[in-house]
Amino acid sequence: MSNSTTPYPSHRLFDSTLQNSRIGRRVNIHLAQEPIPEILFITSFPPRECGIATYSQDLITALENKFEGSFAIKVCAIESEEEAYSYSSQVTSCLNINHRKSFVRLAETINEDNNTQAVMIQHEFGLFRDKMDDFIQLLSIIQKPISIVFHTVLPNPNRVLKSKVMQIVELCQSIVVMTHAAADILVKNYRIDLQKITVIPHGTHLVSHADKVDLREKYGLHNRKILSTFGLLSSGKGIEMTLKAMPDIISKNPDVLFLIIGKTHPTVIKEEGEAYRDRLKELIDTLGISENVTFINEFLPLPILLDLLQLTHIYLFTSIDPNQAVSGTFSYAISCGCAIISTPIPHAQEVLEDGAGIIVEFFNSTQLGIEVKKLLKDETLRAKISSKGLHKIAPTAWENSAIAHARLFNQLVDGTLPLNFKIPPINLEHFHRLTTDFGMIQFSIINQPDINTGFTLDDNARAMVAMCQRYELTQDKIDLEYIEIYLNFIQFCFQEEEEYFLNYVNDHRVFTEQNFETNLEDSNGRAIWALGFLISQEGVLPPRLIEKAEVIFNLALQGITRISSTRAMAFIIKGLYYSNSYKSSTTNQELLITLSDRLVQIFKHEAEVDWQWFESYLTYGNSIIPEALLCAWLTTSDFIYLEIAKSAFDFLLSKIFTDTQIKVISNKGWALKGKEPDFEIIGGEQAIDISYTVLALEKFANVFPEEDYISKMHMAFEWFLGKNHLHQIVYNPCTGGCYDGLEDTYINLNQGAESTVSYLMARLAIEKNNQANQVNKLPITGMYLNVM
């Protein structure tokens, strides 16, 4: 059989790019769009109630939320005569497994559809029952690349099973499993080539991690210690194991309540009705624990389910099947911050190692009871397990699963898919949560602000810039309240007698000793930049804010001459540029020129033909230096500033961009003069460096529209969305927070002020650019003119 992709129709219309040299702007004329490639999912699908249906819906939703203009997902729903449903428009076809011809017709339809570029099949042996030969025939007829997801991988197969699986694998271009244990079984027991296997863990939902006490109040459970389990009920869940442990648990914890969440599995209902649930009820009555056990016999909406998991003290996973490869319920519980106790299915053994949970033996109620009592007694241990579990499960967020699947689709079609990240809507939830009536808190534990870490001038200065950016775009009055908070904080930090800012303030609003042990020049520069940026909004912001900022700004400039830090000087130049004060003050104009000339002299001292930079190394916050000189040129028209700004910026970009993504200089190894940046050093990448680069690219793009600065600006921003060496999100769209760092093998999940504000500044720069492009789109019959 042939598995080559089907080309687009030969009548594809063309795009042409014209250069309007008179105005120096690039003009794109789009006559038509070529059809978007389609990926067909063959899977069970809601309203059918089963784990794979829910899994597929969650994955497809994540793919559609993560990418745009890249591919379209279509669904072929697996059903039978006994189970037929009314589907949403997402389902374009059905595979009735009771009719052999249905398999052949589906394959022929796939082959005839030029838009279908690849097929992904969600496989569970129960879905195809005794129709395995028909299923293999389907695979053999399809002439498009196929990826099959094995939700179950059975070890030690008999000869027949092994033969069937090997036939399936032979007919597919890609195999996906959800655990490394499943991959090992395929290699060792089925002799499958490891290169053909991709491990993509079961996805999990991002959770905002609401206060557990508040959630228990909300659901009337404030006086109870909550144990829970959930999923479609069947005897394989092993609920009896927990029930038998309950009398011992209750003896030490009379306020404990065990929630059994979920309807009975539809297949079980057909075969035996509610017999299993009835047996559990009888056992509860026999044990006399009815006051401590509650059934929630519903297929709960996701928000309610996630609430119940978040308020849970301990989640109990007691599957009795040692071959259960993976569990979505188990994954969801960890992502909600539950402390987990589980039987040793392969998924649990893989995820819960290194203290991320507790493993107990199958059917061992005594051991389960001992571990539950230990955890209920030790809140610190529960929190430790929860934290480790969250960090372990973070890479499996549906957003990351979507990225992994999109990359797989692209491989299937030989790299022809345009993987365009969808820019998420602006979410200020965490930004606002970090802010008190005094200022922005410095750090968070996950997404819970940690007031004990106090406040910094740095964070509040950046936060004020971000809110000014947003207010300029939206005129949202709520932003004014936050701008005033940050401005007041900056004023609080200004020491008028010393004409200098302090940076570190504790939770009692007292300046800390760190102010006198650390060089604060960069902090002072940031404050002046922020004040200048606010002043630039004259005519947009209320006059009282402008006037207050001008007073602090002018006082602060009095102490500037003693500053020698390169980056501090760059921030001050930007502040002077934005404030326009050089127009009314000869002194300020002279100060801007003096500082810019210093940067020029620093550059001339260090620069060589192959090292166009201001220092003998590249470290942090590099982009602000050439951006400052560009601002100096915009202020003075002195060509030397423009020449050095562009030369240095282009040099920097050559060191931090590959053809496809940005990789900022790592704090694990600065780039040194005479040596190329070591891209083998991974990790230590910070959101603030991405943000400063995006802001600088926006500024350079305005001056040099014919260059590729805009495309690099978007490429840099996509670092937050998953275009990085881990292929994982750094921005959390659920909370609106940004993770604190991209390390070598993991992401720091804490969402502090620096990273969160840095993301927002970059996001608002993208928003401003996008709005400008919308304004510049001129309608033409049958096309549009995009002036960039």
Side-chain angles (χ1 to χ4, degrees), residues 648-675:
F649 193 53
D650 288 347
F651 169 77
L652 173 63
L653 297 182
S654 74
K655 300 299 182 183
I656 63 175
F657 277 92
T658 67
D659 291 339
T660 58
Q661 68 185 57
I662 189 173
K663 186 184 184 304
V664 293
I665 305 300
S666 170
N667 62 18
K668 293 185 175 181
W670 304 131
L672 302 178
K673 188 175 182 178
K675 294 180 63 177

PDB file of all heavy atoms in Angstrom, residues 648-675:
ATOM      1  N   ALA A 648      24.554  46.565  16.667  1.00  0.00           N
ATOM      2  CA  ALA A 648      24.593  45.765  17.893  1.00  0.00           C
ATOM      3  C   ALA A 648      23.362  44.868  18.006  1.00  0.00           C
ATOM      4  O   ALA A 648      23.468  43.708  18.416  1.00  0.00           O
ATOM      5  CB  ALA A 648      24.678  46.692  19.106  1.00  0.00           C
ATOM      6  N   PHE A 649      22.204  45.402  17.634  1.00  0.00           N
ATOM      7  CA  PHE A 649      20.979  44.606  17.759  1.00  0.00           C
ATOM      8  C   PHE A 649      20.996  43.426  16.803  1.00  0.00           C
ATOM      9  O   PHE A 649      20.647  42.300  17.172  1.00  0.00           O
ATOM     10  CB  PHE A 649      19.758  45.489  17.507  1.00  0.00           C
ATOM     11  CG  PHE A 649      18.455  44.849  17.908  1.00  0.00           C
ATOM     12  CD1 PHE A 649      18.269  44.331  19.190  1.00  0.00           C
ATOM     13  CD2 PHE A 649      17.395  44.764  17.019  1.00  0.00           C
ATOM     14  CE1 PHE A 649      17.070  43.746  19.570  1.00  0.00           C
ATOM     15  CE2 PHE A 649      16.185  44.184  17.385  1.00  0.00           C
ATOM     16  CZ  PHE A 649      16.024  43.674  18.663  1.00  0.00           C
ATOM     17  N   ASP A 650      21.409  43.661  15.573  1.00  0.00           N
ATOM     18  CA  ASP A 650      21.480  42.561  14.611  1.00  0.00           C
ATOM     19  C   ASP A 650      22.506  41.516  15.053  1.00  0.00           C
ATOM     20  O   ASP A 650      22.306  40.305  14.855  1.00  0.00           O
ATOM     21  CB  ASP A 650      21.828  43.090  13.224  1.00  0.00           C
ATOM     22  CG  ASP A 650      20.670  43.853  12.588  1.00  0.00           C
ATOM     23  OD1 ASP A 650      19.549  43.760  13.105  1.00  0.00           O
ATOM     24  OD2 ASP A 650      20.905  44.556  11.582  1.00  0.00           O
ATOM     25  N   PHE A 651      23.604  41.976  15.639  1.00  0.00           N
ATOM     26  CA  PHE A 651      24.589  41.041  16.181  1.00  0.00           C
ATOM     27  C   PHE A 651      23.958  40.190  17.285  1.00  0.00           C
ATOM     28  O   PHE A 651      24.113  38.957  17.302  1.00  0.00           O
ATOM     29  CB  PHE A 651      25.784  41.812  16.739  1.00  0.00           C
ATOM     30  CG  PHE A 651      26.735  40.973  17.553  1.00  0.00           C
ATOM     31  CD1 PHE A 651      27.641  40.122  16.942  1.00  0.00           C
ATOM     32  CD2 PHE A 651      26.714  41.027  18.951  1.00  0.00           C
ATOM     33  CE1 PHE A 651      28.516  39.339  17.698  1.00  0.00           C
ATOM     34  CE2 PHE A 651      27.568  40.253  19.706  1.00  0.00           C
ATOM     35  CZ  PHE A 651      28.480  39.411  19.090  1.00  0.00           C
ATOM     36  N   LEU A 652      23.244  40.838  18.194  1.00  0.00           N
ATOM     37  CA  LEU A 652      22.586  40.097  19.281  1.00  0.00           C
ATOM     38  C   LEU A 652      21.596  39.080  18.725  1.00  0.00           C
ATOM     39  O   LEU A 652      21.587  37.913  19.154  1.00  0.00           O
ATOM     40  CB  LEU A 652      21.861  41.078  20.206  1.00  0.00           C
ATOM     41  CG  LEU A 652      20.984  40.449  21.302  1.00  0.00           C
ATOM     42  CD1 LEU A 652      21.821  39.642  22.271  1.00  0.00           C
ATOM     43  CD2 LEU A 652      20.195  41.529  22.032  1.00  0.00           C
ATOM     44  N   LEU A 653      20.782  39.499  17.774  1.00  0.00           N
ATOM     45  CA  LEU A 653      19.785  38.589  17.208  1.00  0.00           C
ATOM     46  C   LEU A 653      20.451  37.376  16.568  1.00  0.00           C
ATOM     47  O   LEU A 653      19.922  36.263  16.622  1.00  0.00           O
ATOM     48  CB  LEU A 653      18.916  39.313  16.185  1.00  0.00           C
ATOM     49  CG  LEU A 653      18.064  40.480  16.706  1.00  0.00           C
ATOM     50  CD1 LEU A 653      17.219  41.069  15.585  1.00  0.00           C
ATOM     51  CD2 LEU A 653      17.180  40.047  17.868  1.00  0.00           C
ATOM     52  N   SER A 654      21.609  37.583  15.965  1.00  0.00           N
ATOM     53  CA  SER A 654      22.318  36.462  15.334  1.00  0.00           C
ATOM     54  C   SER A 654      22.779  35.438  16.366  1.00  0.00           C
ATOM     55  O   SER A 654      23.038  34.280  16.019  1.00  0.00           O
ATOM     56  CB  SER A 654      23.516  36.977  14.533  1.00  0.00           C
ATOM     57  OG  SER A 654      24.583  37.384  15.395  1.00  0.00           O
ATOM     58  N   LYS A 655      22.909  35.866  17.619  1.00  0.00           N
ATOM     59  CA  LYS A 655      23.374  34.970  18.673  1.00  0.00           C
ATOM     60  C   LYS A 655      22.235  34.268  19.411  1.00  0.00           C
ATOM     61  O   LYS A 655      22.460  33.270  20.098  1.00  0.00           O
ATOM     62  CB  LYS A 655      24.217  35.747  19.694  1.00  0.00           C
ATOM     63  CG  LYS A 655      25.455  36.425  19.113  1.00  0.00           C
ATOM     64  CD  LYS A 655      26.418  35.423  18.501  1.00  0.00           C
ATOM     65  CE  LYS A 655      27.668  36.102  17.967  1.00  0.00           C
ATOM     66  NZ  LYS A 655      28.581  35.140  17.301  1.00  0.00           N
ATOM     67  N   ILE A 656      21.013  34.790  19.307  1.00  0.00           N
ATOM     68  CA  ILE A 656      19.918  34.221  20.117  1.00  0.00           C
ATOM     69  C   ILE A 656      18.782  33.633  19.289  1.00  0.00           C
ATOM     70  O   ILE A 656      17.857  33.040  19.860  1.00  0.00           O
ATOM     71  CB  ILE A 656      19.350  35.265  21.099  1.00  0.00           C
ATOM     72  CG1 ILE A 656      18.734  36.443  20.369  1.00  0.00           C
ATOM     73  CG2 ILE A 656      20.431  35.727  22.068  1.00  0.00           C
ATOM     74  CD1 ILE A 656      18.055  37.454  21.291  1.00  0.00           C
ATOM     75  N   PHE A 657      18.841  33.788  17.963  1.00  0.00           N
ATOM     76  CA  PHE A 657      17.801  33.207  17.112  1.00  0.00           C
ATOM     77  C   PHE A 657      18.387  32.119  16.232  1.00  0.00           C
ATOM     78  O   PHE A 657      19.459  32.288  15.645  1.00  0.00           O
ATOM     79  CB  PHE A 657      17.157  34.266  16.217  1.00  0.00           C
ATOM     80  CG  PHE A 657      16.065  35.063  16.876  1.00  0.00           C
ATOM     81  CD1 PHE A 657      16.367  36.253  17.518  1.00  0.00           C
ATOM     82  CD2 PHE A 657      14.753  34.618  16.861  1.00  0.00           C
ATOM     83  CE1 PHE A 657      15.373  36.989  18.140  1.00  0.00           C
ATOM     84  CE2 PHE A 657      13.751  35.346  17.477  1.00  0.00           C
ATOM     85  CZ  PHE A 657      14.059  36.540  18.127  1.00  0.00           C
ATOM     86  N   THR A 658      17.668  31.007  16.139  1.00  0.00           N
ATOM     87  CA  THR A 658      17.921  30.031  15.086  1.00  0.00           C
ATOM     88  C   THR A 658      16.934  30.340  13.965  1.00  0.00           C
ATOM     89  O   THR A 658      16.220  31.339  14.016  1.00  0.00           O
ATOM     90  CB  THR A 658      17.708  28.597  15.603  1.00  0.00           C
ATOM     91  OG1 THR A 658      16.311  28.409  15.903  1.00  0.00           O
ATOM     92  CG2 THR A 658      18.526  28.349  16.863  1.00  0.00           C
ATOM     93  N   ASP A 659      16.852  29.476  12.981  1.00  0.00           N
ATOM     94  CA  ASP A 659      15.896  29.699  11.886  1.00  0.00           C
ATOM     95  C   ASP A 659      14.454  29.586  12.358  1.00  0.00           C
ATOM     96  O   ASP A 659      13.539  30.115  11.716  1.00  0.00           O
ATOM     97  CB  ASP A 659      16.128  28.693  10.751  1.00  0.00           C
ATOM     98  CG  ASP A 659      17.435  28.950  10.026  1.00  0.00           C
ATOM     99  OD1 ASP A 659      17.935  30.091  10.114  1.00  0.00           O
ATOM    100  OD2 ASP A 659      17.944  28.013   9.392  1.00  0.00           O
ATOM    101  N   THR A 660      14.233  28.895  13.471  1.00  0.00           N
ATOM    102  CA  THR A 660      12.859  28.587  13.865  1.00  0.00           C
ATOM    103  C   THR A 660      12.446  29.111  15.233  1.00  0.00           C
ATOM    104  O   THR A 660      11.258  29.168  15.528  1.00  0.00           O
ATOM    105  CB  THR A 660      12.646  27.056  13.871  1.00  0.00           C
ATOM    106  OG1 THR A 660      13.591  26.452  14.772  1.00  0.00           O
ATOM    107  CG2 THR A 660      12.819  26.481  12.480  1.00  0.00           C
ATOM    108  N   GLN A 661      13.400  29.481  16.104  1.00  0.00           N
ATOM    109  CA  GLN A 661      13.000  29.895  17.444  1.00  0.00           C
ATOM    110  C   GLN A 661      14.089  30.721  18.114  1.00  0.00           C
ATOM    111  O   GLN A 661      15.219  30.811  17.635  1.00  0.00           O
ATOM    112  CB  GLN A 661      12.667  28.676  18.311  1.00  0.00           C
ATOM    113  CG  GLN A 661      13.852  27.793  18.658  1.00  0.00           C
ATOM    114  CD  GLN A 661      13.435  26.536  19.416  1.00  0.00           C
ATOM    115  OE1 GLN A 661      12.625  25.749  18.943  1.00  0.00           O
ATOM    116  NE2 GLN A 661      13.975  26.362  20.600  1.00  0.00           N
ATOM    117  N   ILE A 662      13.704  31.325  19.238  1.00  0.00           N
ATOM    118  CA  ILE A 662      14.641  32.093  20.041  1.00  0.00           C
ATOM    119  C   ILE A 662      15.197  31.208  21.147  1.00  0.00           C
ATOM    120  O   ILE A 662      14.519  30.314  21.651  1.00  0.00           O
ATOM    121  CB  ILE A 662      13.954  33.337  20.649  1.00  0.00           C
ATOM    122  CG1 ILE A 662      14.987  34.265  21.304  1.00  0.00           C
ATOM    123  CG2 ILE A 662      12.865  32.942  21.644  1.00  0.00           C
ATOM    124  CD1 ILE A 662      14.410  35.597  21.773  1.00  0.00           C
ATOM    125  N   LYS A 663      16.454  31.454  21.493  1.00  0.00           N
ATOM    126  CA  LYS A 663      17.057  30.829  22.661  1.00  0.00           C
ATOM    127  C   LYS A 663      17.934  31.881  23.328  1.00  0.00           C
ATOM    128  O   LYS A 663      19.050  32.110  22.900  1.00  0.00           O
ATOM    129  CB  LYS A 663      17.886  29.596  22.309  1.00  0.00           C
ATOM    130  CG  LYS A 663      18.387  28.867  23.555  1.00  0.00           C
ATOM    131  CD  LYS A 663      19.290  27.710  23.199  1.00  0.00           C
ATOM    132  CE  LYS A 663      19.690  26.954  24.464  1.00  0.00           C
ATOM    133  NZ  LYS A 663      20.338  27.827  25.480  1.00  0.00           N
ATOM    134  N   VAL A 664      17.355  32.538  24.332  1.00  0.00           N
ATOM    135  CA  VAL A 664      18.090  33.627  24.960  1.00  0.00           C
ATOM    136  C   VAL A 664      19.306  33.087  25.707  1.00  0.00           C
ATOM    137  O   VAL A 664      19.385  31.906  26.031  1.00  0.00           O
ATOM    138  CB  VAL A 664      17.187  34.419  25.929  1.00  0.00           C
ATOM    139  CG1 VAL A 664      16.107  35.153  25.172  1.00  0.00           C
ATOM    140  CG2 VAL A 664      16.567  33.514  26.978  1.00  0.00           C
ATOM    141  N   ILE A 665      20.232  33.997  25.969  1.00  0.00           N
ATOM    142  CA  ILE A 665      21.454  33.606  26.672  1.00  0.00           C
ATOM    143  C   ILE A 665      21.084  33.042  28.040  1.00  0.00           C
ATOM    144  O   ILE A 665      20.337  33.644  28.809  1.00  0.00           O
ATOM    145  CB  ILE A 665      22.394  34.817  26.837  1.00  0.00           C
ATOM    146  CG1 ILE A 665      22.693  35.457  25.469  1.00  0.00           C
ATOM    147  CG2 ILE A 665      23.674  34.402  27.540  1.00  0.00           C
ATOM    148  CD1 ILE A 665      23.355  34.553  24.477  1.00  0.00           C
ATOM    149  N   SER A 666      21.621  31.872  28.343  1.00  0.00           N
ATOM    150  CA  SER A 666      21.281  31.182  29.588  1.00  0.00           C
ATOM    151  C   SER A 666      22.080  31.744  30.753  1.00  0.00           C
ATOM    152  O   SER A 666      23.261  32.083  30.612  1.00  0.00           O
ATOM    153  CB  SER A 666      21.578  29.682  29.448  1.00  0.00           C
ATOM    154  OG  SER A 666      21.479  29.035  30.708  1.00  0.00           O
ATOM    155  N   ASN A 667      21.427  31.837  31.924  1.00  0.00           N
ATOM    156  CA  ASN A 667      22.181  32.254  33.105  1.00  0.00           C
ATOM    157  C   ASN A 667      23.103  31.144  33.607  1.00  0.00           C
ATOM    158  O   ASN A 667      23.825  31.320  34.580  1.00  0.00           O
ATOM    159  CB  ASN A 667      21.238  32.731  34.221  1.00  0.00           C
ATOM    160  CG  ASN A 667      20.291  31.649  34.710  1.00  0.00           C
ATOM    161  OD1 ASN A 667      20.503  30.461  34.488  1.00  0.00           O
ATOM    162  ND2 ASN A 667      19.220  32.067  35.384  1.00  0.00           N
ATOM    163  N   LYS A 668      23.065  30.002  32.915  1.00  0.00           N
ATOM    164  CA  LYS A 668      23.994  28.913  33.255  1.00  0.00           C
ATOM    165  C   LYS A 668      25.324  29.040  32.513  1.00  0.00           C
ATOM    166  O   LYS A 668      26.248  28.272  32.758  1.00  0.00           O
ATOM    167  CB  LYS A 668      23.353  27.562  32.935  1.00  0.00           C
ATOM    168  CG  LYS A 668      22.152  27.230  33.820  1.00  0.00           C
ATOM    169  CD  LYS A 668      21.638  25.827  33.528  1.00  0.00           C
ATOM    170  CE  LYS A 668      20.514  25.454  34.484  1.00  0.00           C
ATOM    171  NZ  LYS A 668      20.008  24.086  34.231  1.00  0.00           N
ATOM    172  N   GLY A 669      25.376  29.974  31.582  1.00  0.00           N
ATOM    173  CA  GLY A 669      26.611  30.158  30.824  1.00  0.00           C
ATOM    174  C   GLY A 669      26.514  31.351  29.910  1.00  0.00           C
ATOM    175  O   GLY A 669      25.868  31.289  28.859  1.00  0.00           O
ATOM    176  N   TRP A 670      27.087  32.487  30.310  1.00  0.00           N
ATOM    177  CA  TRP A 670      27.039  33.674  29.471  1.00  0.00           C
ATOM    178  C   TRP A 670      27.840  33.456  28.188  1.00  0.00           C
ATOM    179  O   TRP A 670      28.768  32.649  28.143  1.00  0.00           O
ATOM    180  CB  TRP A 670      27.607  34.882  30.222  1.00  0.00           C
ATOM    181  CG  TRP A 670      26.980  35.211  31.545  1.00  0.00           C
ATOM    182  CD1 TRP A 670      27.637  35.452  32.710  1.00  0.00           C
ATOM    183  CD2 TRP A 670      25.591  35.361  31.848  1.00  0.00           C
ATOM    184  NE1 TRP A 670      26.748  35.743  33.723  1.00  0.00           N
ATOM    185  CE2 TRP A 670      25.476  35.690  33.219  1.00  0.00           C
ATOM    186  CE3 TRP A 670      24.416  35.257  31.108  1.00  0.00           C
ATOM    187  CZ2 TRP A 670      24.258  35.915  33.859  1.00  0.00           C
ATOM    188  CZ3 TRP A 670      23.198  35.478  31.738  1.00  0.00           C
ATOM    189  CH2 TRP A 670      23.127  35.806  33.077  1.00  0.00           C
ATOM    190  N   ALA A 671      27.473  34.202  27.145  1.00  0.00           N
ATOM    191  CA  ALA A 671      28.224  34.131  25.883  1.00  0.00           C
ATOM    192  C   ALA A 671      29.414  35.076  25.971  1.00  0.00           C
ATOM    193  O   ALA A 671      29.265  36.252  26.290  1.00  0.00           O
ATOM    194  CB  ALA A 671      27.311  34.534  24.722  1.00  0.00           C
ATOM    195  N   LEU A 672      30.591  34.560  25.688  1.00  0.00           N
ATOM    196  CA  LEU A 672      31.823  35.332  25.856  1.00  0.00           C
ATOM    197  C   LEU A 672      32.390  35.751  24.511  1.00  0.00           C
ATOM    198  O   LEU A 672      32.248  35.046  23.503  1.00  0.00           O
ATOM    199  CB  LEU A 672      32.851  34.501  26.621  1.00  0.00           C
ATOM    200  CG  LEU A 672      32.415  34.001  28.006  1.00  0.00           C
ATOM    201  CD1 LEU A 672      33.509  33.155  28.620  1.00  0.00           C
ATOM    202  CD2 LEU A 672      32.036  35.157  28.914  1.00  0.00           C
ATOM    203  N   LYS A 673      33.043  36.896  24.498  1.00  0.00           N
ATOM    204  CA  LYS A 673      33.695  37.407  23.303  1.00  0.00           C
ATOM    205  C   LYS A 673      34.707  36.386  22.786  1.00  0.00           C
ATOM    206  O   LYS A 673      35.478  35.815  23.554  1.00  0.00           O
ATOM    207  CB  LYS A 673      34.410  38.722  23.645  1.00  0.00           C
ATOM    208  CG  LYS A 673      34.980  39.483  22.476  1.00  0.00           C
ATOM    209  CD  LYS A 673      35.540  40.811  22.984  1.00  0.00           C
ATOM    210  CE  LYS A 673      36.086  41.666  21.860  1.00  0.00           C
ATOM    211  NZ  LYS A 673      36.584  42.964  22.372  1.00  0.00           N
ATOM    212  N   GLY A 674      34.666  36.147  21.507  1.00  0.00           N
ATOM    213  CA  GLY A 674      35.582  35.188  20.908  1.00  0.00           C
ATOM    214  C   GLY A 674      35.062  33.773  20.909  1.00  0.00           C
ATOM    215  O   GLY A 674      35.698  32.876  20.363  1.00  0.00           O
ATOM    216  N   LYS A 675      33.885  33.558  21.520  1.00  0.00           N
ATOM    217  CA  LYS A 675      33.289  32.217  21.547  1.00  0.00           C
ATOM    218  C   LYS A 675      31.835  32.314  21.117  1.00  0.00           C
ATOM    219  O   LYS A 675      31.129  33.242  21.501  1.00  0.00           O
ATOM    220  CB  LYS A 675      33.365  31.616  22.959  1.00  0.00           C
ATOM    221  CG  LYS A 675      34.769  31.321  23.451  1.00  0.00           C
ATOM    222  CD  LYS A 675      34.739  30.733  24.851  1.00  0.00           C
ATOM    223  CE  LYS A 675      34.015  29.408  24.886  1.00  0.00           C
ATOM    224  NZ  LYS A 675      34.062  28.812  26.242  1.00  0.00           N
TER     225      LYS A 675
END
